Amino acid sequence: GAGVSQSPRYKVAKRGQDVALRCDPISGHVSLFWYQQALGQGPEFLTYFQNEAQLDKSGLPSDRFFAERPEGSVSTLKIQRTQQEDSAVYLCASSLLRNSPLHFGNGTRLTVT
Amino acid sequence: GNSVTQMEGPVTLSEEAFLTINCTYTATGYPSLFWYVQYPGEGLQLLLKATKADDKGSNKGFEATYRKETTSFHLEKGSVQVSDSAVYFCALSEKQQGGSEKLVFGKGTKLTVNP
């Protein structure tokens, strides 16, 4: 497809489980962002990649959160030992160049029970 | 830090009514300002933007003017349609380490337009 694709669309995890969320950006897009959107809130920045380099991870809420983009295209956001407060929609966005318009995926809704 | 405050919803209007969604911001420097829209079941989409004071962004009949003196970027539309029903997010860009410009979002305002 032409847009940013995220999978799975929905994920239910029991507290303490590890999860991995995948983002397929638009082909050729250099920049990739992850955002977290809690219920009733706006998205909040988690981390930024330029190609395979993670240039900013200042928004990751704890060391349980880890993101990678090893070949500069697909990215994975991993959350270890999930907690209830991790329940949110995780959004991925990509752009062609550093400050080009962002294209958002539909998100992965994570529910931790 | 930088922040965005937008009018709480939900907002319910009849078709062809006038829409205003207020947005104010706090920022150091001169950020770019954005309105994003999220239609039901879809991802966030850029609706319009303005990059400097007094700029007016417009798209699909929506407008917003970057007002530095009042630190505002209110969204307006003269005549809404049922298809405008969505959640609207005001945002500003904030320069980050590594050269990226991350977005800082407001909480969103849900708009429902009834026929």
Side-chain angles (χ1 to χ4, degrees), chain A residues 62-83:
Chain A
S62 78
D63 59 7
R64 296 186 295 104
F65 286 70
F66 172 76
E68 60 183 6
R69 194 186 184 197
E71 295 177 2
S73 76
V74 171
S75 178
T76 304
L77 176 67
K78 297 179 179 177
I79 309 173
Q80 297 177 323
R81 305 181 304 282
T82 52
Q83 304 295 315

Side-chain angles (χ1 to χ4, degrees), chain A residues 16-35:
Chain A
Q17 281 185 332
D18 298 349
V19 298
L21 312 180
R22 178 186 169 106
C23 172
D24 282 83
I26 294 173
S27 178
H29 277 199
V30 168
S31 294
L32 186 145
F33 293 79
W34 284 97
Y35 285 82

